[in-house]
Every structure is written in structure tokens, then in C-alpha cells.
């Protein structure tokens, strides 16, 4: 017995967690039975998905109805909380169809072969996608504890379907102690909330309803606006004034051809030879635009154009005002809802689960269902995810990584191949060009002497191309060098002229005169200072030495 099954038995026996069922397909259908209803023309089979190691229930054909179910050994009671879980692999995606499971309400009269689309279920859970619909359904069939009426309660906040082709595990948790729910995909919570707040219609009906016997009074006024009854049509209001009038300011254009019709008979037309006047009537030439009117502003009788009539007001009507008798929008009075009863434990009224059924229609194929769990224990479902789904995820993630690496390597190889081929084509063209040069007629007498040169150039055409480019660039380089040198010479001449200009000479001479005077005066001062120092040295030799050292 597998580890998950042993753990499940231990949890049930020791911890009192209640019923738990784990349905898989390692032994084939193993009690899963196709419906005998003619509607279900699709046949499931047990197969191993590509890349995986365990069998699963497969949808084999597109555009089919499928119906299959399996009775549980013992019903599972949602009153102790309910955990529903199964794995789903949409190999080819989900374009239009259902991939949900109906958890059939326990009923001794139910047989798997008698499964129909209206077979009562307690919960319907799982993906459904087509057109604008893309949701993970969670629907409860709730029975009113007061009236006994059963009504479907649809989750209004639904997660999106995972359609990437991998195996995903969907989990619905209905917690009886908190009257809450949660939807997990791959063990990650995608949606959670209250059973009383997130389903439509609501689990509990409204406390009050509109009184079905209440009727709107005959004198009830529900017109908010009315024509002003005090308004009167002004005496100068002319309802008969036309909307448009002739433009009296208009003047007939010069050159208008009054006596020429806009159309004339086609003079080039001839009566058909088979025309029978007794049967076809008098033959008339077809009409064509009058050629005389082509260059004229117009032909025929000239009429003044019309303009909007400034006196036009149209039909008079009274302005709209608030209705003083308005009472508001009428609605029936609310009365206590005779069907109201607050169901504080709604999971006790959705029915025990007695079977699992896959009753779907789909335009796709390649679905794989596996590891269906119906339990009162979240821990048991988590353990099955760990034991059964996690290894599949590891395999599929590894395969995805490998496929991506191979695809990248293939793309890189293709790019390298394309680059090599392009280089080879270019190299071949260069070789042909080099050969064409050496095959020129005027080089024919030098064929023997040029043979080694030709062999080298044909073996290294890229070097030849580089040399040609260098030769082409050489004149440009020389030209640029000469241009730069010329500009430098012009700048040098300009500086030289500026340095030896007449204005500069006069300025220099003017500046030199005071400078010479200053220099002479400074020299005289220095000589006087030296004489004074010599006299002091004779008196104080050491002090004189220090002053000379400082001056120096």
C-alpha cells in the first residue's frame, strides 16, 4: 500500500478526521463506468501522458460528450468540512469545453451507468472555458432548511484556468467551522472568502421581499416632469413660417445659359437594328450632359438658392417643468420573506458526496484526469499533492527546461549556420572577383609570373578586399592631411602678421619708453642700496651678510 494511503488510514483511524477517498487510475478504470445514455458518445481511456510515468483518465476525441462516474465505498459528509481535489493536464490546451468534476449527491438509487446531465450533485468544481468564459467553477447545490427547495449557488469570484499543457492540481476547501471556502491551484491559494458573501444567489435568502399583492394606486403620479400648464404661446409666434426662404441677395452668375437644357439627346446614338416599336415602343436616344454647359456656370432656368429663415420657430410647445404632483417611483412595499431562515451551517445542507462524475462536453482532446480526492481533511489532500503531483511537476519542469535549452541551442546553431553560409557565399563571390581580375586579357602574357600572386589572392580574398579599401582610403587620407596642414599654415601666418604689425610696433615702442625709464631708476636704487650695505658691513659685517643673503 502506498505511503499516502497508509497516512490516510492512520489519520482516519487515529485522529478521527472522517471519511477520505483517493481515486487514481494505476489499475485502469477500476470501477469507473461510462454512462449508458446515448448522449455520451465520447469514450474515456486510461493512458500515460507523454513524459510522465503514471496512468490517467484521458479524453480521447474532440467535439464529444463524455460521461463517466464511480461510486464511493462510503459517502463523504461535508458537515465535517469538505476538501475536493484532482489533477488535470490539458495537453492541447482548453479552447472550448469543460474539465470539471461533479461530486454526485449520495443516493441509493444512483448507478454510474445511469449518469445524466441532470443527475443531482452536491458540488461542481473545476475549469470551464469557452469564448468569454474562463473560470474555475465552484457551485454548491444548497437545500433550504425551511422550504426544502434546492438552488445552485455559484461562486462569483473565480480564478482563471491554467492552460499551459502541464499537470496542475485543483483544490476546493469548504470549511464548516468558519463557513468559508478557498480555491488552491498547485497548492497556492487563488481565491478565498465567506460562504455567505461570495455566492450568487446568496446562501441565505433576503429577510424581506416586495409584497406580490401590493398594487400601484390609480392616482399615483410617477411623472417627474410635465409641460408647464401656465405657459402660453407668444402672440408673435408664427408656426407657419417656412424653415427656408429664397436668398434675395443672390445674383445669377454671369454667363448662365438660360436657354440651354442641362441634358440633351446623344446625337451619336443609333436605334438598334432589332428594335421593334410595336413591342419596345418608340425609340428615344439616350440623354447625355449638354456639352455647351461644360464650361458655363449653369444651364436652364436659374433659381435663387435658399437660406435658413431667420423668422422660423417651428411648432410651439410649453416648456418642461417639475411636476408638483410627482410622488416618486412607485415600488411595492417590503414584507417579511416567508421563506427566510438563516442557515448557520450551510454545508450540512448540500448533501453527502456519494460518487465522483466527469460529465462534460469539449471541443478539445488530450485532457488527463488523475488523483481525485474527496476528504474531510486538508492535510490528506496536501499529502496527496506532495506524493503524486509534486514528482510530475518536477519531471515537467525539467522537460520544459531541457526543451528550452534545446530550442535555444538549435536557434543558436541555425544562426551560426546562417552566418557561416553567408560568409561562405561572400568569400566565394570575392574569390570569383579576384579570379576575374587576373583573367583580364592584358594580364594574360604575365600569367606565369602572376601565378603565385593569384594563388595567394584567391586563398585570402578578404585581405585583398582590405587592401583595396586601404588604397581607396589613401587618397582621402592624403587629401584630409593636406587640408589640415593648409589650415595650420594659414593660422601661423595670421599669428605672424599679428605679431609684426605696424600698430603692434608703435604700441610696443610706446610701452618700452616708460619701461626703460623704470628700469634705469630701479638700477640706480639698487646701486645706492648696495653702497649703503657696504658701509654698514664695515661697521657690522654679520648684519650685512644676513641682508645680502636675504636679498639674494
Amino acid at each position: 500500500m502506498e505511503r499516502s494511503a497508509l497516512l490516510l488510514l492512520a489519520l482516519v483511524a487515529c485522529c478521527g478526521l472522517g471519511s477520505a477517498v483517493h481515486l487514481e487510475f494505476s489499475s485502469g478504470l477500476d470501477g469507473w463506468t461510462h454512462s449508458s445514455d446515448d448522449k455520451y458518445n465520447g469514450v474515456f481511456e486510461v493512458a500515460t501522458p507523454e513524459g510522465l510515468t503514471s496512468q490517467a483518465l484521458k479524453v480521447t476525441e474532440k467535439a464529444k460528450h463524455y460521461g463517466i462516474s464511480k461510486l464511493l465505498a462510503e459517502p463523504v459528509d461535508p458537515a465535517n468540512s469538505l476538501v475536493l481535489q484532482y489533477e488535470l493536464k490539458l495537453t492541447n490546451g482548453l479552447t472550448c469545453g469543460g474539465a470539471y468534476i461533479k461530486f454526485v449527491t449520495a443516493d441509493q438509487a444512483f448507478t454510474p451507468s445511469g449518469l445524466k446531465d441532470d443527475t443531482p450533485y452536491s458540488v461542481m468544481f473545476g475549469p470551464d472555458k469557452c469564448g468569454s468564459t474562463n473560470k474555475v467553477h465552484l457551485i454548491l447545490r444548497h437545500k433550504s432548511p425551511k422550504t426544502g427547495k434546492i438552488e445552485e449557488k455559484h461562486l462569483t469570484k473565480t480564478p482563471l484556468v491554467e492552460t499551459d499543457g502541464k499537470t496542475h492540481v485543483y483544490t476546493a476547501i469548504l470549511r464548516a467551522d468558519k463557513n468559508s471556502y478557498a480555491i488552491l491551484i498547485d497548492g497556492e491559494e487563488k481565491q478565498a472568502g465567506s460562504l455567505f458573501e461570495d455566492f450568487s444567489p446568496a446562501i441565505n435568502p433576503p429577510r424581506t421581499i416586495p409584497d406580490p399583492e401590493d398594487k400601484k394606486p390609480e392616482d399615483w403620479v410617477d411623472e417627474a416632469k410635465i409641460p408647464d400648464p401656465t405657459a402660453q404661446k407668444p402672440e408673435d409666434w408664427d408656426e407657419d413660417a417656412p424653415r427656408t426662404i429664397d436668398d434675395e441677395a443672390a445674383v445669377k452668375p454671369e454667363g448662365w445659359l438660360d436657354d440651354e437644357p442641362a441634358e440633351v439627346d446623344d446625337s451619336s446614338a443609333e436605334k438598334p437594328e432589332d428594335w421593334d416599336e410595336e413591342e419596345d415602343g418608340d425609340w428615344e436616344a439616350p440623354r447625355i450632359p449638354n456639352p455647351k454647359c461644360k464650361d458655363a456656370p449653369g444651364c436652364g432656368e436659374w433659381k435663387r438658392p435658399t437660406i435658413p429663415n431667420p423668422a422660423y420657430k417651428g411648432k410651439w410647445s410649453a416648456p418642461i417643468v417639475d411636476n408638483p404632483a410627482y410622488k416618486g417611483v412607485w415600488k411595492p412595499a417590503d414584507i417579511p420573506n416567508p421563506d427566510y431562515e438563516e442557515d448557520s451551517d450551510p454545508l450540512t445542507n448540500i448533501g453527502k458526496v456519494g460518487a465522483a462524475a466527469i460529465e462534460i462536453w469539449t471541443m478539445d482532446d488530450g485532457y488527463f484526469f488523475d488523483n481525485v480526492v474527496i476528504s474531510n481533511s486538508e492535510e490528506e489532500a496536501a499529502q496527496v499533492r506532495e506524493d503524486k503531483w509534486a514528482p510530475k511537476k518536477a519531471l515537467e519542469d525539467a522537460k520544459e527546461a531541457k526543451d528550452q535549452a534545446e530550442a535555444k541551442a538549435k536557434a543558436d546553431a541555425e544562426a551560426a549556420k546562417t552566418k557561416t553560409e553567408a560568409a561562405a557565399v561572400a568569400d566565394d563571390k570575392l574569390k570569383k572577383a579576384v579570379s576575374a581580375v587576373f583573367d583580364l586579357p592584358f594580364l594574360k602574357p604575365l600569367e606565369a609570373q602572376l601565378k603565385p600572386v593569384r594563388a595567394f589572392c584567391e586563398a585570402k580574398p578578404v585581405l585583398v578586399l582590405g587592401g583595396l579599401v586601404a588604397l581607396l582610403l589613401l587618397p582621402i587620407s592624403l587629401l584630409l592631411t593636406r587640408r589640415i596642414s593648409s589650415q595650420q599654415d594659414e593660422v601661423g601666418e595670421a599669428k605672424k602678421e599679428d605679431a609684426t604689425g605696424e600698430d603692434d610696433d608703435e604700441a610696443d615702442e610706446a610701452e618700452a619708453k616708460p619701461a626703460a625709464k623704470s628700469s634705469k631708476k630701479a638700477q640706480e636704487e639698487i646701486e645706492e642700496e648696495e653702497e649703503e650695505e657696504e658701509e654698514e658691513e664695515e661697521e657690522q659685517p654679520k648684519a650685512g651678510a644676513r641682508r645680502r643673503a636675504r636679498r639674494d
Side-chain angles (χ1 to χ4, degrees):
M1 187 177 295
E2 295 185 1
R3 184 165 63 119
S4 60
L6 288 171
L7 176 62
L8 172 59
L9 290 175
L11 288 170
V12 172
C14 302
C15 305
L17 292 173
S19 300
V21 178
H22 176 196
L23 308 176
E24 57 181 352
F25 300 91
S26 58
S27 300
L29 290 178
D30 191 24
W32 287 85
T33 303
H34 285 93
S35 172
S36 59
D37 193 296
D38 292 339
K39 172 183 177 179
Y40 303 106
N41 53 355
V43 178
F44 285 99
E45 68 176 27
V46 174
T48 302
E50 183 180 356
L52 300 180
T53 58
S54 58
Q55 296 186 126
L57 188 67
K58 180 182 180 181
V59 171
T60 55
E61 298 179 85
K62 299 180 180 181
K64 299 283 186 180
H65 285 89
Y66 290 84
I68 194 170
S69 61
K70 180 177 181 177
L71 284 170
L72 308 186
E74 293 291 337
V76 178
D77 190 354
N80 299 321
S81 292
L82 184 64
V83 182
L84 306 171
Q85 180 174 284
Y86 69 100
E87 294 172 10
L88 176 65
K89 180 180 177 67
L90 302 170
T91 306
N92 302 318
L94 180 60
T95 58
C96 187
Y100 43 77
I101 293 182
K102 291 181 176 180
F103 297 90
V104 178
T105 305
D107 185 349
Q108 291 183 351
F110 172 73
T111 60
S113 62
L115 176 69
K116 295 183 178 181
D117 57 4
D118 60 355
T119 296
Y121 61 86
S122 297
V123 181
M124 190 177 95
F125 172 58
D128 187 17
K129 184 175 183 294
C130 193
S132 61
T133 299
N134 182 351
K135 62 176 67 176
V136 178
H137 279 299
L138 180 58
I139 305 173
L140 313 180
R141 290 182 78 251
H142 177 260
K143 181 179 180 179
S144 169
K146 184 171 185 177
T147 65
K149 178 183 177 182
I150 296 177
E151 191 173 42
E152 289 185 351
K153 312 292 186 179
H154 293 248
L155 180 64
T156 56
K157 302 175 182 179
T158 54
L160 300 179
V161 181
E162 299 288 343
T163 58
D164 58 10
K166 293 183 179 181
T167 302
H168 295 279
V169 57
Y170 292 85
T171 308
I173 302 172
L174 305 175
R175 300 184 179 102
D177 57 339
K178 298 180 180 178
N179 285 321
S180 64
Y181 73 93
I183 293 180
L184 283 57
I185 300 178
D186 298 345
E188 179 183 347
E189 185 179 281
K190 297 294 184 179
Q191 180 62 41
S194 168
L195 294 176
F196 297 122
E197 297 175 0
D198 295 348
F199 287 80
S200 179
I203 294 290
N204 291 319
R207 292 179 180 272
T208 61
I209 59 171
D211 184 358
E213 303 297 329
D214 194 9
K215 305 296 181 184
K216 183 170 73 171
E218 293 183 1
D219 61 348
W220 188 274
V221 179
D222 52 11
E223 294 179 341
K225 301 285 186 178
I226 59 171
D228 185 357
T230 64
Q232 294 183 353
K233 182 174 70 173
E235 293 181 1
D236 60 348
W237 192 284
D238 184 3
E239 293 184 340
D240 298 326
R243 184 182 293 273
T244 60
I245 57 174
D246 291 341
D247 183 4
E248 297 297 334
V251 178
K252 181 171 67 175
E254 185 177 352
W256 189 280
L257 304 178
D258 297 86
D259 299 329
E260 290 291 339
E263 291 185 342
V264 295
D265 292 341
D266 185 358
S267 58
S268 64
E270 297 180 358
K271 182 173 70 174
E273 294 180 359
D274 59 351
W275 187 273
D276 188 338
E277 293 188 353
E278 292 184 358
E279 293 184 3
D280 302 326
D282 294 336
W283 181 81
E284 295 180 357
R287 305 283 287 176
I288 61 172
N290 189 344
K292 294 182 181 180
C293 301
K294 182 178 180 181
D295 298 324
C299 291
E301 182 184 0
W302 179 80
K303 295 181 180 180
R304 294 181 182 277
T306 60
I307 59 174
N309 183 2
Y312 173 76
K313 294 185 177 181
K315 186 73 175 176
W316 181 85
S317 60
I320 302 299
V321 296
D322 293 335
N323 186 355
Y326 175 63
K327 294 184 178 181
V329 178
W330 182 87
K331 62 179 181 178
D334 287 338
I335 61 172
N337 185 356
D339 295 337
Y340 176 76
E341 181 170 336
E342 184 174 350
D343 185 358
S344 58
D345 299 304
L347 295 182
T348 63
N349 293 304
I350 65 174
K352 296 179 180 180
V353 177
I358 303 174
E359 192 273 321
I360 58 174
W361 173 87
T362 178
M363 290 299 294
D364 303 290
D365 59 3
Y367 301 0
F368 285 91
F369 296 85
D370 199 9
N371 291 308
V372 181
V373 174
I374 308 160
S375 175
N376 302 118
S377 167
E378 296 182 36
E379 291 78 7
E380 193 268 340
Q383 190 63 52
V384 174
R385 283 199 304 271
E386 179 66 24
D387 292 345
K388 298 295 184 178
W389 172 74
K392 295 179 181 179
K393 174 177 171 55
L395 287 173
E396 290 174 336
D397 288 349
K399 182 178 183 301
E400 181 182 47
K402 180 181 178 183
D403 291 344
Q404 290 176 349
E406 290 177 351
K408 184 178 184 304
K410 183 178 179 181
D412 292 345
E414 289 291 334
K417 180 181 177 183
T418 301
K419 184 177 181 180
T420 302
E421 290 176 349
V425 170
D427 193 61
D428 185 61
K429 289 182 178 179
L430 285 174
K431 288 180 179 179
K432 290 180 179 179
V434 170
S435 298
V437 171
F438 282 95
D439 287 337
L440 291 172
F442 73 88
L443 294 177
K444 194 68 176 175
L446 303 173
E447 182 176 1
Q449 293 89 330
L450 293 175
K451 187 175 182 180
V453 179
R454 177 171 185 164
F456 174 81
C457 292
E458 289 179 343
K460 305 288 184 180
V462 176
L463 294 179
V464 175
L465 178 63
L468 291 174
V469 171
L471 289 174
L472 291 173
L473 292 177
L474 182 59
I476 298 174
S477 177
L478 294 174
L479 182 62
L480 289 174
T481 302
R482 183 175 299 173
R483 177 63 178 168
I484 293 170
S485 176
S486 175
Q487 291 177 346
Q488 290 176 343
D489 292 343
E490 291 175 359
V491 172
E493 289 294 331
K495 289 182 177 180
K496 184 177 180 182
E497 291 177 2
D498 185 63
T500 58
E502 294 180 359
D503 293 341
D504 290 345
D505 291 343
E506 293 176 357
D508 291 346
E509 185 177 352
E511 292 177 0
K513 290 179 179 180
K517 291 180 179 180
S518 298
S519 178
K520 184 177 181 180
K521 183 177 181 180
Q523 183 65 31
E524 292 175 351
E525 291 177 351
I526 292 172
E527 289 177 354
E528 290 178 358
E529 185 178 358
E530 287 179 349
E531 290 178 357
E532 291 176 357
E533 288 177 354
E534 288 177 358
E535 292 175 355
E536 290 178 357
E537 284 178 3
E538 292 177 357
E539 297 176 0
Q540 297 179 350
K542 293 182 179 180
R546 284 198 297 272
R547 280 197 297 272
R548 282 196 301 274
R550 186 168 57 252
R551 186 184 65 241
D552 294 341

